């Protein structure tokens, strides 16, 4: 069964093209069957008057860019419809009326927004049927699954162009309002207008049109209103599209074999009218029957169809198709970039690439009142040293000599393409603070007829969004150019580290890894010096001076008053001292092979590394390899405070807080010295990650955790992480400041760094994976014409010891209409910000409070859109902005995450680890972390080498005859269905049957067949895309490990009590309605 099937092809132009809410029912598994009534989608219409459109309305051309929803599929003998009481549905043919398609609405929005021609949706009033009727109708119902050449199947259909179908389950002349006779039918109100504009009413009775403006609306009908009826099989129609419009659909989805097996039919006649239902009921008053009270054939039907609600997979696929082929050119202000899941090239023409900066909205409200009303956080996720693909050039380095980079005298913003040159080029006006500055004589250049400098395109700082300046001595500590940085490897040699084989593995790896230290562009060797320390309860320093025949060891046992016993010979050049270093790395595992020392220290180790860097007068990084809770007598000694009983109490926040202030003080000293700490943890039990990660977190470092480390299982993951960590680009002793144009300012910062004042982000180290998230607030009114400008300036020392400034500039639009704000938001960035905001919140507030805050903010964002931007419609419809239709599903994933809603198996250390990890993730990482990718491995042909199209993260999407790969950036699972073909099992696992596959297998056998090669190469390519090595776990269907795998199927209910996507959407709808009422 194809889970992401597309809609039928677009019908020919010559026929009448009616538009009507609803969708076709497909067959289960594609088997042809008798035609069946189609249930209304979750986006169905609401009760309103029945109306007939004016005659002769011409058909609008089919729209391009509206992503269709995956059309509903129901298992045999089972219908899927809204989450309503069983008495809310009317079966049978409609009245003889029909409507025509209204002219396409005028397009709005940025030129890159998907454009949608959406009709007004009509809402007839009328009584719902009673429960007994529906039961009888359901019992006799069959599901159709006609193939594309089959006769007309079930759909929402229409008769002749002169009549209008009833949409509510009301019948001719029924209910208090009755139906209009054909001759007196009022005209349809055709909405063509800006979001928020009241649709014109043409001599019609009150009509709440649930038309949603172009590029802005996914509509869904909520639980409080009866859904549309099931229409007669003879009636033609369009099915529901993903954005809430009902219009011609696209062809088949990429990489799936067949088109969707239902044919749209046009021009057939409606069925005869039905008798009146006995009486009108209030749908809200119908109690929802309990599951155990339902007759057997109804038990599984009481739910909204997941295919009728916005699909992340569909949105990602559409963005790839629409925006993946063209380069993203950054010349235009306020452009929303393609999604992070789309593979695209960037051409820098004056604004920073989205690889460096992504914003929650590219159109900022002009006033703080408007921003407060919308509640959309204004934030930027900045990744200053992001790694670019090979096809894109690294930022140019500009050298202005001794004069240094040109800056504004008042606000100190750096020269950039946003500055305006005046008076023939002799002066320039700062675009951030409007100050007028003189241009130094050596920088002067004439202007052309447009007012641009004639050398603008020869100077990166006048034509590009991102570039670097070489810093002068004024930008250096103590007015002295820095020395090249150093790396110090600090290895735990306690009993645990020796017993697991960790020390031997690490020493062996370091022998070759030291050849790959980061180096500047064309340098033959790295300028970075290295040093070595081992420790348990005491510290051992090693002299590896090149002139020595053997390394010398010096022991410091007074850990309370740490000092470095040697200066000369501790930090050395790798090539000069290679023989001595190799000898040392050979000896360390032997020296401590018989150790019985189980206790370790921790704070004195960091202190020692920092003192060594201080003595050498350089910045650098400490690589700490640590195994256990530091309980030995020393500063920073910790006790085991793990207490699961605190979960869901007011004291839960203490689990995330450090248990002593020692580490904050130590971190502050490290930042001052430019000493960054990367921590590799190998715990067998609780080690208090919340406390141990404080120094890495505040110095811009990373934490890696390998619980219950075993060389045979975890070697590849650890060594891969270590290699990448040692080799990646790092800026040392860095300070970052974000400047903004008048009207907004940076007020809050999230990430791995330290701040001693309110403006400067201080980082002992900043690598290519780290992001800093910045929130902005208004302090004045913004101007629509000039927009809002951001400039991120990062001052850092390169790995060669060169002091540099990296500058990123970005210009955003400003708006006075809320609709413009909602049309230019980026949900992935919004979720990145909201997750970081929540994960910081748990340090000071109960987890429940943090969760409630997120839900309330999301409801306020969507309620504000509904109230101010969407066309008027019944409260029973959930209307989502086009750019934010995935906000509910993604937010639910954040709420269900281990930090905010831990399952029984999640340890306190795991939660603290994930909390600090997410704090410096970029948008692409949080996207896949919160909504994992689920890829079917056996659906596409073996010779197809492209990545298979993903399916939604739900158990419903798994077929027991297939194999799936799931990844979330940290974990990688291969799920094997119980009825997978024997040949496939043999090709992939080299065993003859499902039962012989080893559950929990962490590596696939290397076999010489197309399937094995394809799957292993896919796994390699996924690992290459991620910041950390993802360990593989093979999970068999119905196996005990399957519970772990299901934890990542985020659209389903979670064991820890997290809501399913469908339930959360209903909950959000309820919250929005409460806010609106």
């Amino acid at each position: 069964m194809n889970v992401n099937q597309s809609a039928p092809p677009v019908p020919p132009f010559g026929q009448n093209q009616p538009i009507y809410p609803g969708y076709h029912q497909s067959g289960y598994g594609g088997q042809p069957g008798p035609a069946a009534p189609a249930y209304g989608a979750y986006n169905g219409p609401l009760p309103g008057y029945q109306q007939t459109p004016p005659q002769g309305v011409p058909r609008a051309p089919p729209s391009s860019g509206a992503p269709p929803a995956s059309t509903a599929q129901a298992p045999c003998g089972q219908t899927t419809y809204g989450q309503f009481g069983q008495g809310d549905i009317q079966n049978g043919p409609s009245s003889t009326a029909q409507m025509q398609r209204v002219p396409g609405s005028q397009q709005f929005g940025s030129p890159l927004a998907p454009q949608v021609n959406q009709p007004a949706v009509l809402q007839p009033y009328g009584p719902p049927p009673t429960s007994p009727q529906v039961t009888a109708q359901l019992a006799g119902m069959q599901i159709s699954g006609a193939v594309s050449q089959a006769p007309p199947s079930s759909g929402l259909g229409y008769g002749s162009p002169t009549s209008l179908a009833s949409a509510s389950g009301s019948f001719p002349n029924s209910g208090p309002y009755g139906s209009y006779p054909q001759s007196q039918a009022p005209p349809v109100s055709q909405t063509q207008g800006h979001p928020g504009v009241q649709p014109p009413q043409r001599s019609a009775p009150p009509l709440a049109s649930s038309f949603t403006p172009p590029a802005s609306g996914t509509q869904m009908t909520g639980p409080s209103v009866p859904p549309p009826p099931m229409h007669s099989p003879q009636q033609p129609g369009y099915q529901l599209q993903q954005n809430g419009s009902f219009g011609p659909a696209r062809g088949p989805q990429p990489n799936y074999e067949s088109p969707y097996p239902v044919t749209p039919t046009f021009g057939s006649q409606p069925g005869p009218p039905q008798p009146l239902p006995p009486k009108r009921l209030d749908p809200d008053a119908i109690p929802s029957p309990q599951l155990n009270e339902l007759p057997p054939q109804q038990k599984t039907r009481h739910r909204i169809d997941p295919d009728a609600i916005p699909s992340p997979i569909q949105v990602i696929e559409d963005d790839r198709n629409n925006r993946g082929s063209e380069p993203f050119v950054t010349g235009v202000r306020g452009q929303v970039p393609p999604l992070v899941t789309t593979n695209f090239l960037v051409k820098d023409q004056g604004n920073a690439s989205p690889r460096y900066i992504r914003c929650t909205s590219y159109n900022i409200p002009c006033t703080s009142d408007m921003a407060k009303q919308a509640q959309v956080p204004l934030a930027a996720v900045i990744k200053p040293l992001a790694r670019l693909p090979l096809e894109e050039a690294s930022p140019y380095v500009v050298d202005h000599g001794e004069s240094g980079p040109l800056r504004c005298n008042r606000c100190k913003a750096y020269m950039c393409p946003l500055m305006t040159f005046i008076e023939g080029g002799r002066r320039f006006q700062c675009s951030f603070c409007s100050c007028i500055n003189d241009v130094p004589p050596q920088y002067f250049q004439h202007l052309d007829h447009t007012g641009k400098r004639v050398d603008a395109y020869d100077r990166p700082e006048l034509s590009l969004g991102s570039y670097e300046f070489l810093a002068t001595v004024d930008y250096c500590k103590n007015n002295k150019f820095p020395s090249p940085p150093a790396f110090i490897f600090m290895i735990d040699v306690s009993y645990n580290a020796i017993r697991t084989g960790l020390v031997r593995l690490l020493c062996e790896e370091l022998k070759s890894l030291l050849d790959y230290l980061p180096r500047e562009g064309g340098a033959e060797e790295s300028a970075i010096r290295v040093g070595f320390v081992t420790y348990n309860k005491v510290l051992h320093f090693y002299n590896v001076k090149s002139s020595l025949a053997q390394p010398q060891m010096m022991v410091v046992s007074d850990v309370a008053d740490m000092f470095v016993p040697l200066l000369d010979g501790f930090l050395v050049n790798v090539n000069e001292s290679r023989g001595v270093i190799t000898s040392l790395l050979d000896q360390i595992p032997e020296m401590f092979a018989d150790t019985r020392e189980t206790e370790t220290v921790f704070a004195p180790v960091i202190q020692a590394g920092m003192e060594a860097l201080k003595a050498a007068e350089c910045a650098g990084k400490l690589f700490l390899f640590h195994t256990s809770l530091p309980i030995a007598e020393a500063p920073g000694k910790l006790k085991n405070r793990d207490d699961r009983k605190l979960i869901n109490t007011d004291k839960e926040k203490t689990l995330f807080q450090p248990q002593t202030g020692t580490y904050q003080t130590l971190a502050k000293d490290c930042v001052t010295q430019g000493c960054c700490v990367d921590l590799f943890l190998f715990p067998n039990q609780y080690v208090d990650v919340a406390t141990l990660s404080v120094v890495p977190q505040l110095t811009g470092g990373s934490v890696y955790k390998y619980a219950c480390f075993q060389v045979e299982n975890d070697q590849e993951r650890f060594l891969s992480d270590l290699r990448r960590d040692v080799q990646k680009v790092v800026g040392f002793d860095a300070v970052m400041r974000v400047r903004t144009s008048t009207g907004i300012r940076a007020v809050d910062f999230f990430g791995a760094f330290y701040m001693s004042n309110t403006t400067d982000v201080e980082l002992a180290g900043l690598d290519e994976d780290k992001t800093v998230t910045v929130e902005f607030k208004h302090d004045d009114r913004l101007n629509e014409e000039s927009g809002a400008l951001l400039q991120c300036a990062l001052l850092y020392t390169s790995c060669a010891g060169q002091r540099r400034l990296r500058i990123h500039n970005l210009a955003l639009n400003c708006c006075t209409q809320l609709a413009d704000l909602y049309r230019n938001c980026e949900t992935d960035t919004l979720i990145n910000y909201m997750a970081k905001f929540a994960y910081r919140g748990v340090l000071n507030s109960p987890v429940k409070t943090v969760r409630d805050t997120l839900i309330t903010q999301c409801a306020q964002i969507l309620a504000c859109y509904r109230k101010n931007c969407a066309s008027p419609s019944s409260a029973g419809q959930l209307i989502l902005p086009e750019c934010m239709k995935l906000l509910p599903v993604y937010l639910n994933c954040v709420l269900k995450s281990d930090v905010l809603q831990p399952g029984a198996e999640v340890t306190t250390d795991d939660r603290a680890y994930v909390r600090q990890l997410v704090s410096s993730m970029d948008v692409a990482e949080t996207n896949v972390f919160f909504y994992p990718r689920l890829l079917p491995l056996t659906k596409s042909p073996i010779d197809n080498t492209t990545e298979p199209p993903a399916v939604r993260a739900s158990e419903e999407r798994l077929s027991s005859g297939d194999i799936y790969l799931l990844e979330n950036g940290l974990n990688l699972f291969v799920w094997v269905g119980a009825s997978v073909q024997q040949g496939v099992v043999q090709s992939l696992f080299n065993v003859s049957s499902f039962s012989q596959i080893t559950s929990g297998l962490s590596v696939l056998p290397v076999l010489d067949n197309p399937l094995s090669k394809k799957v292993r190469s896919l796994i390699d390519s996924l690992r290459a895309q991620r910041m950390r090595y993802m360990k593989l776990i093979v999970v068999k269907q119905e196996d005990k490990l399957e519970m772990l795998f299901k934890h990542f199927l985020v659209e389903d209910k979670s064991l820890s009590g997290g809501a399913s996507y469908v339930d959360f959407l209903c909950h959000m709808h309820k919250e929005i309605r409460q806010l609106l009422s």
Side-chain angles (χ1 to χ4, degrees):
M1 169 172 132
N2 284 354
V3 288
N4 274 358
Q5 283 159 321
S6 83
V10 177
F13 267 55
Q15 298 165 335
N16 287 317
Q17 310 278 331
I19 298 293
Y20 204 72
Y23 55 82
H24 297 293
Q25 286 285 111
S26 88
Y28 184 57
Q31 298 305 315
Y39 281 77
Y42 186 43
N43 320 33
L46 276 116
Y49 285 104
Q50 297 184 27
Q51 300 180 336
T52 309
Q55 301 302 306
V57 176
R59 180 192 178 284
S63 75
S64 64
S70 304
T71 312
Q73 290 207 351
C76 292
Q78 170 189 333
T79 54
T80 49
Y81 55 87
Q83 192 160 335
F84 306 106
Q86 297 295 331
D88 297 356
I89 293 200
Q90 173 64 47
N91 197 357
S94 259
S95 67
T96 54
Q98 148 152 18
M99 84 191 221
Q100 264 184 310
R101 179 175 172 93
V102 299
S105 301
Q106 184 181 338
Q107 309 294 354
F108 297 107
S110 77
L112 294 166
Q115 297 182 335
V116 186
N117 291 339
Q118 292 175 319
V121 178
L122 303 177
Q123 300 146 350
Y125 282 103
T130 54
S131 272
Q133 262 184 312
V134 179
T135 311
Q137 290 154 357
L138 290 172
M141 180 179 151
Q142 291 173 298
I143 304 295
S144 78
V147 289
S148 41
Q149 286 78 23
S153 75
S154 70
L156 299 171
Y158 312 96
S160 67
T162 56
S163 57
L164 166 69
S166 150
S168 69
S170 62
F171 295 91
N173 309 315
S174 69
Y177 303 104
S179 289
Y180 286 100
Q182 210 107 339
S183 55
Q184 303 162 6
V188 176
S189 86
Q190 294 170 6
T191 10
Q192 260 189 316
H194 195 277
V197 177
Q198 188 79 10
Q201 307 286 341
R202 291 203 202 144
S203 66
L207 168 74
S209 164
S210 57
F211 158 77
T212 328
S216 66
T218 298
Q219 306 179 1
M220 295 186 257
T221 307
S224 63
V225 212
M230 303 186 295
H231 291 264
S232 68
Q234 295 85 6
Q235 291 184 334
Y238 285 127
Q239 73 271 27
L240 163 75
Q241 292 197 358
Q242 182 76 35
N243 58 359
S245 68
F246 305 89
R250 296 188 323 180
Q253 266 197 26
N255 301 319
Y256 280 102
E257 294 82 0
S258 59
Y260 192 66
V262 173
T263 313
T265 57
F266 304 95
S268 51
Q269 296 304 313
Q274 289 258 333
L276 276 169
K279 62 176 181 178
R280 183 175 173 83
L281 292 170
D282 172 14
D284 286 330
I286 301 173
S288 172
Q290 295 302 308
L291 205 58
N292 54 10
E293 295 168 11
L294 295 181
Q297 78 272 22
Q298 283 178 256
K299 280 192 180 170
T300 51
R301 299 192 187 122
H302 186 68
R303 58 193 295 269
I304 290 168
D305 172 34
D307 280 332
I309 56 183
S311 157
I313 303 305
Q314 187 66 54
V315 171
I316 288 168
E317 196 61 61
D318 288 339
D319 192 76
R320 280 179 180 164
N321 294 338
N322 297 335
R323 306 196 63 186
S325 50
E326 293 294 315
F328 177 69
V329 180
T330 71
V332 182
R333 184 178 86 187
Q335 279 186 102
V336 182
L339 298 181
V340 284
T341 43
T342 299
N343 202 0
F344 61 100
L345 278 180
V346 179
K347 286 194 174 161
D348 184 341
Q349 290 191 359
N351 281 298
S353 159
R355 303 192 206 288
Y356 294 123
I357 307 182
R358 275 187 179 266
C359 295
T360 52
S361 178
Y362 287 78
N363 210 328
I364 293 182
C366 279
T367 64
S368 59
D369 290 346
M370 193 173 153
K372 278 181 195 139
Q373 191 184 354
Q375 286 286 318
V376 175
L378 304 175
V381 179
I382 306 174
K383 196 176 182 182
L385 297 178
R387 190 166 47 159
L388 300 181
L390 295 172
E391 302 87 345
E392 293 174 24
S394 296
Y396 288 96
V397 181
V398 179
D399 185 358
H400 282 316
E402 286 184 16
S403 60
L406 187 56
R407 304 174 72 174
C408 167
N409 291 330
R410 184 195 292 162
C411 72
K412 302 296 180 200
Y414 293 87
M415 179 52 67
C416 66
L418 309 168
M419 303 289 191
T420 315
F421 286 87
I422 53 175
E423 296 178 22
R426 285 187 294 277
R427 306 176 90 185
F428 73 91
Q429 182 166 21
C430 173
S431 47
F432 293 88
C433 69
S434 304
C435 174
I436 292 178
N437 300 267
D438 290 331
V439 173
Q442 74 273 16
Y443 198 74
F444 172 78
Q445 186 55 268
H446 295 283
L447 307 184
D448 65 14
H449 65 286
T450 65
K452 267 189 116 150
R453 282 174 56 123
V454 295
D455 66 346
Y457 292 106
D458 300 330
R459 290 188 175 271
E461 75 272 23
L462 299 181
S463 57
L464 299 177
S466 301
Y467 43 88
E468 291 198 327
F469 290 120
L470 280 188
T472 59
V473 75
D474 306 334
Y475 291 87
C476 302
K477 259 188 197 161
N478 310 325
N479 278 7
K480 190 173 138 194
F481 281 113
S483 310
F487 283 179
I488 304 177
F489 296 90
M490 317 189 88
I491 306 165
D492 177 347
V493 287
S494 65
Y495 174 72
N496 274 338
I498 296 293
R499 181 185 59 82
T500 54
L502 167 65
V503 175
R504 191 171 294 280
L505 177 71
L506 174 59
C507 290
E508 203 52 49
E509 175 63 26
L510 285 177
K511 288 183 201 170
S512 55
L513 187 55
L514 294 177
D515 289 332
Y516 297 97
L517 298 176
R519 65 190 74 181
E520 211 59 70
E524 284 187 17
E525 62 174 52
S526 173
I528 292 173
R529 293 168 296 161
V530 297
F532 301 88
V533 173
T534 57
Y535 67 94
N536 39 44
K537 265 192 349 192
V538 297
L539 276 76
H540 322 105
F541 291 79
Y542 296 94
N543 183 346
V544 282
K545 201 172 173 183
S546 55
S547 55
L548 294 174
Q550 285 292 321
Q552 295 171 346
M553 172 170 154
M554 295 180 182
V555 180
V556 177
S557 52
D558 182 5
V559 289
D561 183 18
M562 184 45 63
F563 67 98
V564 180
L566 77 158
L567 293 179
D568 189 28
F570 179 63
L571 295 177
V572 297
N573 175 294
V574 173
N575 285 342
E576 288 171 12
S577 295
R578 182 173 300 281
V580 193
I581 291 172
T582 304
S583 171
L584 171 66
L585 294 172
D586 283 336
Q587 288 175 41
I588 288 173
E590 308 307 328
M591 257 190 294
F592 299 98
D594 302 323
T595 185
R596 287 285 168 265
E597 185 56 73
T598 55
E599 292 188 358
T600 57
V601 295
F602 188 73
V605 185
I606 297 174
Q607 179 87 30
M610 182 191 70
E611 296 289 351
L613 293 176
K614 200 173 187 175
E617 295 183 348
C618 68
K621 187 184 267 198
L622 312 182
F623 295 84
L624 244 85
F625 304 89
H626 190 80
T627 60
S628 57
L629 192 69
I631 54 171
E633 272 313 319
K637 173 187 174 179
L638 302 179
K639 61 180 193 291
N640 187 335
R641 54 163 185 163
D642 189 16
D643 187 359
R644 289 193 64 83
K645 292 198 285 295
L646 296 182
I647 292 175
N648 294 327
T649 69
D650 284 353
K651 287 189 173 174
E652 184 173 6
K653 59 190 177 202
T654 60
L655 297 175
F656 297 111
Q657 296 165 351
Q659 59 171 288
T660 160
T662 308
Y663 290 96
Q664 267 114 327
T665 312
L666 183 56
K668 189 176 164 187
D669 294 342
C670 285
V671 172
T672 306
Q673 184 46 48
C675 168
C676 173
V677 179
D678 280 359
L679 175 60
F680 292 78
L681 283 171
F682 306 86
N684 289 335
Q685 52 203 18
Y686 178 75
V687 289
D688 199 350
V689 173
T691 305
L692 297 189
S693 64
V694 165
V695 180
Q697 179 77 5
L698 291 177
T699 59
S702 308
V703 180
Y704 298 84
K705 181 166 160 284
Y706 311 88
C708 303
F709 179 82
Q710 292 175 306
V711 169
E712 56 277 11
N713 291 340
D714 302 297
Q715 165 178 346
E716 195 178 352
R717 177 171 154 233
F718 163 55
L719 294 182
S720 175
D721 285 343
L722 176 62
R723 285 167 193 152
R724 192 167 189 281
D725 195 53
V726 167
Q727 293 174 42
K728 66 187 172 188
V729 172
V730 187
F732 295 96
D733 209 359
V735 182
M736 181 178 119
R737 182 176 282 195
V738 178
R739 292 180 173 83
T740 52
S741 54
T742 311
I744 54 168
R745 61 193 170 90
V747 292
D748 208 351
F749 300 83
F750 303 82
F753 52 76
Y754 175 77
M755 290 186 81
S756 56
N757 57 37
T758 56
T759 54
D760 294 337
V761 174
E762 298 173 47
L763 302 122
L766 174 71
D767 63 50
E768 60 190 32
D769 299 335
K770 294 285 185 304
T771 62
V772 176
T773 299
V774 187
E775 187 184 3
F776 303 99
K777 289 258 162 72
H778 287 75
D779 56 9
D780 203 349
R781 190 185 168 86
L782 291 166
N783 182 336
E784 266 188 291
E785 274 180 39
S786 52
L789 314 177
L790 314 178
Q791 185 179 79
C792 164
L794 177 79
L795 174 65
Y796 71 99
T797 302
S798 74
C799 55
Q802 202 174 47
R803 203 70 175 148
R804 290 185 178 182
L805 281 152
R806 180 168 289 201
I807 312 294
H808 298 296
N809 303 288
L810 186 63
L812 304 173
N813 287 331
C814 295
C815 58
T816 52
Q817 298 290 326
L818 281 166
D820 292 327
L821 163 69
Y822 282 102
R823 203 179 287 120
N824 291 281
C825 285
E826 233 235 338
T827 302
D828 293 327
T829 312
L830 206 53
I831 288 294
N832 180 285
Y833 165 83
M834 290 171 107
K836 289 172 181 176
F837 178 80
Y839 280 19
R840 188 178 69 183
V842 298
L843 287 172
N844 307 308
S845 308
V847 171
K848 184 181 185 310
T849 310
V850 173
R851 291 165 49 79
D852 292 345
T853 306
L854 282 183
I855 292 172
T856 306
Q857 183 171 18
C858 180
Q860 284 173 330
I861 290 170
L862 298 176
C864 174
Y865 174 80
R866 172 65 187 260
K867 183 179 174 185
N868 299 289
C869 306
S871 302
S873 59
S874 158
Q877 273 181 311
L878 172 58
I879 300 182
L880 301 171
E882 180 66 20
C883 288
M884 284 191 191
K885 61 186 176 188
L886 299 181
L887 187 61
V889 62
Y890 286 163
L891 184 71
N892 189 35
C893 296
V894 175
L895 294 169
K896 286 159 61 165
S897 63
D898 291 339
V899 174
L900 299 183
Q901 197 162 30
E905 74 294 340
V906 180
T907 67
T908 308
D909 274 348
D910 286 335
R911 295 176 74 196
Y913 174 62
V914 168
R915 196 192 76 77
Q916 63 80 32
L917 204 56
V918 168
S919 71
S920 49
M921 276 187 180
D922 69 11
V923 180
E925 287 177 286
T926 50
N927 174 273
V928 76
F929 179 74
F930 289 115
Y931 192 95
R933 279 208 293 177
L934 183 61
L935 306 172
L937 296 179
T938 43
K939 283 202 160 120
S940 53
I942 290 183
D943 52 3
N944 183 357
T945 52
T946 56
E947 195 175 282
V951 296
R952 292 168 70 166
S954 166
E955 195 174 352
E956 286 186 359
R957 311 285 162 169
L958 300 176
S959 144
S960 65
D962 286 313
I963 297 178
Y964 296 82
L965 187 68
L966 182 142
E967 64 122 352
N968 76 338
L970 297 180
N971 310 82
L972 198 56
F973 293 93
V974 169
W975 181 89
V976 187
S979 40
V980 171
Q981 291 175 357
Q982 197 177 335
V984 171
V985 171
Q986 184 73 50
S987 299
L988 211 49
F989 300 100
N990 205 22
V991 294
S992 54
S993 70
F994 173 79
S995 58
Q996 291 176 299
I997 299 171
T998 311
S999 180
L1001 195 69
S1002 61
V1003 61
L1004 293 178
V1006 178
L1007 303 172
D1008 189 13
N1009 66 65
L1011 180 63
S1012 176
K1013 286 177 182 167
K1014 178 182 170 178
V1015 171
R1016 283 182 290 110
S1017 117
L1018 174 63
I1019 288 172
D1020 290 344
S1021 84
L1022 291 178
R1023 281 173 172 160
Q1025 290 169 30
R1026 303 293 169 216
M1027 309 304 170
R1028 300 189 175 216
Y1029 184 89
M1030 297 184 288
K1031 182 181 173 183
L1032 176 72
I1033 301 175
V1034 173
V1035 176
K1036 293 162 71 176
Q1037 190 175 1
E1038 306 293 328
D1039 187 78
K1040 60 181 184 294
L1041 270 176
E1042 200 182 27
M1043 298 313 285
L1044 177 62
F1045 172 77
K1046 284 181 181 174
H1047 175 68
F1048 297 97
L1049 300 177
V1050 288
E1051 288 199 20
D1052 300 337
K1053 276 192 177 122
S1054 69
L1055 287 171
S1056 53
S1060 69
Y1061 175 20
V1062 167
D1063 292 346
F1064 184 69
L1065 205 55
C1066 293
H1067 179 69
M1068 278 318 300
H1069 189 196
K1070 197 173 99 193
E1071 294 277 328
I1072 292 165
R1073 290 179 67 180
Q1074 276 176 348
L1075 287 171
L1076 292 175
S1077 61

